[in-house]
Amino acid sequence: MLNSRSSVRLAISVLAALFIPMAATAEDLPSHPDMKFLVLHKSCNATAAKRRMSAGEAQFCAANYLRLKLSFLPDVDLEWFYALGFAERHAVNQEGYAAYLAWQNLHARRTLESDDSM
């Protein structure tokens, strides 16, 4: 029987699987994102869940989220990213987002498997 925590993880896995391109496999992904960006992203999410952020906080969190997604793309840095045209930036951003979702899905699955073995 699933508890609420497992149900949430399962829902995330299912939703992420629906939006992950077929090319994004575990072999295609780095072992993990840049952890400083991940920790800041989690902090931003927790803050946003508790209260309305100031414009400065929201801008900081949005910029950090971009850096988190780009951290999955080893050949991409911010300078190169911002030199791209709008359509190219959008495509690279979507590629980073898909890699982030794939990473989340992979880790949610691993967590569910380890929970099931307990």
Side-chain angles (χ1 to χ4, degrees), residues 5-23:
R5 187 173 178 189
S6 294
S7 296
V8 168
R9 282 194 222 129
L10 180 60
I12 290 170
S13 295
V14 170
L15 289 173
L18 293 173
F19 295 102
I20 297 169
M22 295 306 285

Side-chain angles (χ1 to χ4, degrees), residues 41-101:
H41 178 63
K42 300 284 185 189
S43 177
C44 286
N45 286 348
T47 300
K50 291 178 186 174
R51 63 175 173 79
R52 186 181 193 134
M53 291 182 166
S54 70
E57 288 172 317
Q59 288 174 338
F60 172 83
C61 289
N64 179 73
Y65 186 46
L66 174 63
R67 288 190 300 268
L68 172 62
K69 293 180 286 183
L70 295 181
S71 75
F72 285 97
L73 308 174
D75 297 329
V76 176
D77 65 22
L78 279 176
E79 184 178 345
W80 180 84
F81 177 79
Y82 283 119
L84 298 173
F86 177 79
E88 293 84 10
R89 279 196 316 269
H90 176 72
V92 170
N93 190 1
Q94 290 299 305
E95 184 180 346
Y97 179 65
Y100 175 56
L101 288 180

Side-chain angles (χ1 to χ4, degrees), residues 9-10 12-13 103-113:
R9 282 194 222 129
L10 180 60
I12 290 170
S13 295
W103 179 84
Q104 282 186 314
N105 185 42
L106 177 66
H107 287 276
R109 224 182 291 139
R110 285 182 183 164
T111 302
L112 283 172
E113 289 166 2

